[in-house]
Amino acid sequence: MITVGHLINGQTSADGGRTQDIYNPSTGAVSKQVALASKITVEHAIAAATAAYPSWRNTPAIKRARVMFKFKDLLEQNAEKICALIGEEHGKISHDAAGELQRGIENVEYACCAPELLKGEHSKNVAPNIDSWSEFQPLGVVAGITPFNFPAMVPLWMYPMAIVCGNCFILKPSERDPSSTLFIAELLKEAGLPDGVMNVVNGDKEAVDVLLTDERIKAVSFVGSTPIAEYIYETASAHGKRCQALGGAKNHAIIMPDADMDNAVAQLLGAAFGSSGERCMALSVAVAVGDEAADQLVAKMSEAMKTLKIGPCHDADNDFGPVITKQHQQKVFSYIDSAEQQGANIVVDGRNPSVKGYEDGFYVGGTLIDRVTAQMDSYSAEIFGPVLQVLRVNTMQEAMDLIDAHEYGNGTCIFTRDGEAARYFSDHIQVGMVGINIPLPVPVAYHSFGGWKRSLFGDLHAYGPDGVRFYTKRKTITQRWPSAGVREGAQFSMPTLS
Ligand code: NAD
């Protein structure tokens, strides 16, 4: 059986230590194993990155960007293989995997702008004969720890920008679907990246803890669930590292009484069930304002859900595939059970999915639950499955209060025809990414991505302009070249212009 190894100093190998099974969620069978890096293996990766850093730091930004131009080409040339690898281990349908990859490639395109992004700020003549400028220097060796649900895109949020900024990188991908992530990183060598600048260690908590505590690691980017994000942020910060840790979500859509209901249902259908609801921006809660809107929404949604096609990743006719593991499938089922036990109405029940020929796959059918309340466990938790819950409120303010009271604040959206209502909503809602008649308001690569509240620990969002700031430190230089013969005496008061 194949063991997915590590990429250290340009060489891919497993370290012969602990391993873990990788499943094909579409069939339920074990397909490969992944090596789980020991402390010593991670330390080798850190040593390789540390050795590569001085030369990479001094490589001109345009040369670093040229590697990314080539890398983008290679990603496009290898798209079919990458999407197949994503599908085999994540279960994502090929069209969805292609969308994920494309959003990742857009981050590589943004990283190609490195010379422009790193130009700095210059002020001439801040005082006679004195100029001042700020420049953005790399941090050194930085690390990324990523979740299973976007094995191509989320790592690409991180290392292209970190690398063009002059850093060396160590990535610890999800141990559940590491093959596409590793394959993509290997393409960087072909793109001309020197060995040691980009390294991948597969593994679990043992590997992560080395990255969080080793003093040679200067910054940590994390994306995953909130309890782990909080642990990462606290541990990395306690060890003096810069840290951004993006966590879980519960994304609400407000359905106003004046919304174009057919459009709202079509948008919600894709946003709730696409990728089996395993997106941190999945719309998992619809808050209908008024019973009339709620009744219409539930009737039209349950009708639309009859068209949902569920099945294995390689059949592009399917709308979504399985969830990631058997345990996760059971967890999603248990949230549906609990909603039922606590008094909600299961309108469409996905607990008994039947996918002919794939009976052992980890499927969950699209599920619609009406009359959910804020007190139910299925409402407070992030289910991370193809489950849409409907809450009924009387006013838009009530809907906004619900959203604001939730522990997560990643994404949200309003469906309405009323510009004033939409403007009020986007101005006041306590959520980091807002859509107006847009169900998945994932910022494009030249903006930045991040939630509020317990969806993000740290100050800077991921990728885009915040990515440049995260992976660099500002240095401000003030210089004087006195005219020949002009010398100033000692000044004992704070220097000013007056
Ligand atoms: P996870 O938190 O289980 O794992 C994420 C990473 O942390 C993995 O690399 C894993 O190996 C590592 N990890 C797990 N347990 C650890 C521990 N105890 N100590 C140290 N490291 C540990 O998340 P997941 O299940 O892979 O991904 C799904 C979660 O990620 C969801 O909650 C989803 O909302 C979130 N997510 C958030 C965003 C965002 O941008 N906010 C994007 C994608 C996914």
Side-chain angles (χ1 to χ4, degrees), residues 102-113 116-117 156-157 161 442-449 461-468:
Q102 179 54 32
R103 292 301 291 253
I105 288 173
E106 288 167 14
N107 285 274
V108 180
E109 289 171 336
Y110 185 63
C112 290
C113 309
E116 174 67 23
L117 296 170
L156 289 171
W157 286 0
M161 183 52 71
V442 179
V444 291
Y446 40 98
H447 286 259
S448 296
F449 180 109
H461 288 195
Y463 69 76
D466 273 16
V468 183

Side-chain angles (χ1 to χ4, degrees), residues 211 289 302:
L211 297 173
V289 177
S302 50

Side-chain angles (χ1 to χ4, degrees), residues 118-132:
L118 295 170
K119 267 197 318 207
E121 299 157 354
H122 189 270
S123 297
K124 194 176 165 70
N125 259 355
V126 294
N129 293 326
I130 297 181
D131 306 324
S132 183

